[in-house]
């Protein structure tokens, strides 16, 4: 019998549009002889749209208002064999939807509550990975209340990291709200921007020179495998939203032109991170590679990476011989697997 799949897309985060792009690709690729797929778009207001409005949102790339409250719809999600929560960012990739689905007793693609929540928060990720002995940049946490009441203590910690540094909302993606701060004068604006989007903000040291950016895909539950390593090249100062989503701004190189031992180390570190964070199903693990010293620093772990047919994660597995549609099929199988 065909498996009934509920594909969730859109969502309330700043990555709403990116999720809709990913979902269109997955919807087209899930083999129809094996799956009955029902897409449901979640509006930016957090409403689950009925079929006609969902269809319209997928076609137009934006979600109108209307729809049902999440909890109301979750109860009726019972008729599905599995959910594919193709949502990026907070209220989707961060364990919230995963908690809802866990309560509803429906298997779903990707990491559970713990792996999703810890991987979404860049500070929590760094703490867990530090305890697993994984090399990372130096960093500092700042919370909104401290920024409002003792801004100098935040400024001092930033100065301790040295400029240029990166300021990021702790829980976001697609580079939304991220600034590269070259001088102390620009710090306040960067913090104000990040704190508009999150209560927790991470300050990160930058590596001495512009690092090379390499990424690897992980697939599996408790016996995960790593894809070949890919590299991103672009002219921009850093890999910002514009560069990520404007056609032709960045080039993917698969496999990355790296010495074999470095590529192997990327895969080993990524698998170790995936396990340390209790991830499941899939993750894209991003690194900085400093050519001068041969150093590899883990940047972050994305538990629901960009998923269009031209996105890095599916391209990495395609290079390993797994087509896009075989990959999404495998992800549903992993969701249904006993662990
Ligand atoms: P994604 O869309 O992959 O989820 P994100 O929004 O979670 O991204 P990051 O990957 O943390 O954001 O940072 C975005 C980009 O900013 C990186 O790809 C890199 O170009 C640059 N960057 C971030 N942190 C640093 C750093 N510490 N040193 C140098 N460059 C950095
Ligand atoms: Mg990210
Ligand atoms: Mg992300
Ligand atoms: Mg990233």
């Amino acid at each position: 019998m065909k498996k009934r799949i509920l594909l969730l897309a859109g969502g309330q985060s700043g990555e709403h549009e990116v999720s809709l792009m990913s979902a269109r690709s997955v919807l087209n690729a899930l083999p129809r002889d094996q799956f009955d797929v029902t897409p449901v778009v979640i509006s930016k207001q957090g409403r689950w749209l009925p079929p006609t409005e969902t269809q319209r949102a997928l076609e137009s790339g934006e979600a109108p208002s209307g729809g049902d409250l999440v909890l109301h719809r979750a109860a009726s999600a019972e008729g599905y064999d599995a959910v594919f929560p193709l949502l990026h960012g907070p209220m989707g990739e961060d364990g919230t939807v995963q908690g809802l689905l866990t309560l509803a007793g429906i298997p779903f693609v990707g990491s559970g509550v713990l792996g999703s929540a810890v991987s979404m928060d860049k500070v929590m990720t760094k703490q867990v990975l530090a305890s697993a002995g994984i090399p990372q940049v130096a960093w500092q946490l700042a919370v909104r209340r401290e920024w409002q009441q003792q801004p100098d203590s935040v400024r001092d910690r930033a100065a301790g990291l040295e400029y240029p540094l990166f300021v990021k909302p702790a829980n976001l993606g697609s580079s939304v709200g991220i600034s590269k701060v070259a001088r102390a004068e620009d710090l306040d604006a960067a913090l104000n921007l990040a704190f508009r989007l999150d209560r927790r903000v991470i300050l990160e040291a930058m590596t001495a020179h512009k690092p090379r950016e390499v990424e690897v895909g992980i697939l599996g539950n408790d016996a995960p495998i790593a894809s070949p390593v890919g590299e991103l090249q672009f002219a921009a100062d850093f890999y910002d939203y514009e560069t990520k989503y404007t056609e032709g701004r960045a080039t993917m190189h698969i496999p990355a032109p790296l010495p074999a031992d470095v590529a192997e180390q990327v895969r080993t570190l990524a698998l170790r991170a995936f396990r340390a964070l209790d991830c499941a199903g899939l993750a894209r693990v991003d690194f900085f590679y400093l050519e001068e010293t041969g150093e590899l620093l883990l940047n972050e772990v994305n538990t629901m990476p960009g998923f269009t047919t031209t996105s890095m994660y599916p391209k990495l597995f395609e290079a390993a011989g797994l087509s896009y549609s075989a990959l999404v099929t495998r992800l549903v199988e992993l969701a249904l697997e006993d662990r």
Side-chain angles (χ1 to χ4, degrees):
M1 215 173 76
K2 286 192 200 179
K3 298 268 181 243
R4 289 152 307 169
I5 308 297
L6 176 63
L7 177 69
L8 293 178
Q12 290 173 261
S13 82
E15 296 186 87
H16 178 95
E17 289 79 8
V18 178
S19 162
L20 290 180
M21 288 194 274
S22 296
R24 273 196 291 265
S25 300
V26 169
L27 190 56
N28 287 331
L30 278 165
R32 287 303 187 268
D33 56 338
Q34 294 177 54
F35 302 109
D36 264 333
V37 190
T38 306
V40 168
V41 167
I42 301 176
S43 73
K44 285 186 176 172
Q45 292 73 35
R47 300 281 168 144
W48 294 30
L49 301 180
T52 46
E53 286 181 48
T54 282
Q55 196 54 40
R56 220 177 300 140
L58 283 169
E59 280 160 17
S60 70
E62 60 182 0
S65 52
D68 292 327
L69 279 176
V70 163
L71 285 170
H72 179 83
R73 283 297 287 242
S76 59
E78 242 177 317
Y80 295 96
D81 295 303
V83 175
F84 199 138
L86 194 46
L87 303 161
H88 309 301
M91 306 290 196
E93 193 180 353
D94 63 349
T96 51
V97 166
Q98 289 74 13
L100 183 75
L101 297 173
T102 303
L103 280 174
I106 311 163
F108 54 90
V109 170
S111 294
V113 172
L114 178 65
S116 299
V118 177
S119 303
M120 183 87 268
D121 187 284
K122 292 179 189 296
V123 172
M124 210 52 94
T125 301
K126 285 199 163 44
Q127 287 172 329
V128 171
L129 296 187
S131 71
I134 291 176
Q136 306 171 90
V137 297
W139 58 273
Q140 292 286 339
L141 165 70
V143 296
R144 189 186 279 142
R145 189 179 168 83
E146 180 193 12
W147 176 235
Q148 287 163 347
Q149 300 190 347
Q150 296 155 294
D152 280 337
S153 75
V154 178
R155 291 182 190 117
D156 287 348
R157 287 211 301 289
L161 291 171
E162 295 179 4
Y163 292 89
L165 54 82
F166 274 82
V167 174
K168 314 177 182 180
N171 296 270
L172 249 173
S174 292
S175 300
V176 175
I178 295 185
S179 306
K180 179 178 172 181
V181 182
R183 306 176 306 258
E185 302 89 276
D186 302 330
L187 179 67
D188 285 19
L191 283 163
N192 286 333
L193 171 67
F195 277 119
R196 272 205 293 280
L197 300 165
D198 204 334
R199 190 177 58 82
R200 286 154 65 80
V201 164
I202 186 168
L203 305 159
E204 284 185 20
M206 207 195 147
T207 49
H209 302 280
K210 185 173 167 176
R212 286 175 64 181
E213 299 200 30
V214 296
E215 304 189 340
V216 64
I218 304 293
L219 176 67
N221 289 332
D222 294 323
I225 57 165
S227 73
V229 179
E231 178 166 7
L232 288 156
Q233 285 174 7
F234 47 86
D237 195 24
F238 73 96
Y239 198 30
D240 57 10
Y241 189 94
E242 227 50 61
T243 311
K244 281 179 185 174
Y245 301 113
T246 312
E247 182 90 44
R249 292 280 176 89
T251 331
M252 272 187 287
H253 298 271
I254 304 172
L258 292 172
D261 61 320
V262 175
E264 203 41 50
Q265 206 191 336
V266 168
R267 283 192 286 269
T268 304
L269 288 172
L271 283 166
R272 207 200 295 169
F274 187 89
R275 290 195 172 96
L277 294 163
D278 194 33
C279 294
L282 74 165
R284 197 195 72 223
V285 187
D286 302 350
F287 292 83
F288 300 127
Y289 174 54
L290 315 182
E291 216 167 4
E292 297 78 7
T293 58
E295 232 179 321
L296 273 171
L297 301 169
L298 195 150
N299 171 29
E300 62 149 354
V301 177
N302 290 285
T303 54
M304 192 53 75
F307 222 108
T308 68
T309 50
T310 56
S311 296
M312 181 63 101
Y313 182 87
K315 283 284 173 202
L316 289 170
F317 278 102
E318 205 177 285
L322 204 59
S323 72
Y324 188 93
S325 91
L327 177 63
V328 289
T329 301
R330 179 77 191 121
L331 287 171
V332 175
E333 283 168 13
L334 287 166
L336 295 169
E337 186 179 284
D338 277 333
R339 295 179 67 194

